[in-house]
Amino acid sequence: MSQDMKPSTAAQKLGILLSAAPESFQQSTISRDELDALRADPPAWLTDLRKNGPFPRDVIAQKLGVSKSGLIRGGITEPLNSDEIGELIANPPEWLIHERAVHREVVAEAARQKEACKAQANDA
């Protein structure tokens, strides 16, 4: 028996903005098999959304190298498309430069803590 998911969950797993997906996708439940089929052989609308957006906040944050909170602090509250993201990357404002540095520090600290936990577990 296949498990069904809400369209919002499927959109999140596909890395797309639900409101930008076709109405038929937004209004139907998606089975795991259907999700796997969309991943394996994406239709044109999905390929276009993944390439050009608009993108959900988590995808924007990943593309810019910042946290989702960093986006909000930078004033990015609406979905962006690939051209808008490209412009930010090409001409990074001060907030983006700052948030990238903060994000790198957070990621490095998390990695350091993970290694410390591993070392501590190995010593035990």
Side-chain angles (χ1 to χ4, degrees), residues 33-55:
D33 292 338
E34 290 169 327
L35 182 68
D36 290 342
L38 286 170
R39 285 178 172 153
D41 187 23
W45 65 265
L46 180 55
T47 302
D48 185 56
L49 278 178
R50 284 179 163 170
K51 181 179 177 186
N52 301 314
F55 299 104

Side-chain angles (χ1 to χ4, degrees), residues 8-86:
S8 59
T9 303
Q12 183 179 11
K13 290 182 179 292
L14 292 170
I16 62 169
L17 191 64
L18 178 61
S19 61
E23 192 70 25
S24 59
F25 181 87
Q26 294 180 37
Q27 299 300 322
S28 61
T29 58
I30 312 296
S31 71
R32 293 253 180 225
D33 292 338
E34 290 169 327
L35 182 68
D36 290 342
L38 286 170
R39 285 178 172 153
D41 187 23
W45 65 265
L46 180 55
T47 302
D48 185 56
L49 278 178
R50 284 179 163 170
K51 181 179 177 186
N52 301 314
F55 299 104
R57 191 173 306 159
D58 57 332
V59 174
I60 297 168
Q62 180 184 13
K63 288 178 179 284
L64 292 176
V66 300
S67 67
K68 291 187 285 184
S69 299
L71 285 179
I72 293 170
R73 287 190 294 270
I76 305 295
T77 58
E78 299 296 320
L80 301 178
N81 63 36
S82 59
D83 290 340
E84 293 165 322
I85 292 170

Side-chain angles (χ1 to χ4, degrees), residues 101-117:
V102 168
H103 187 65
R104 280 192 302 270
E105 289 174 16
V106 169
V107 169
E109 178 62 15
R112 186 195 66 75
Q113 288 179 357
K114 185 176 180 179
E115 285 300 316
C117 285

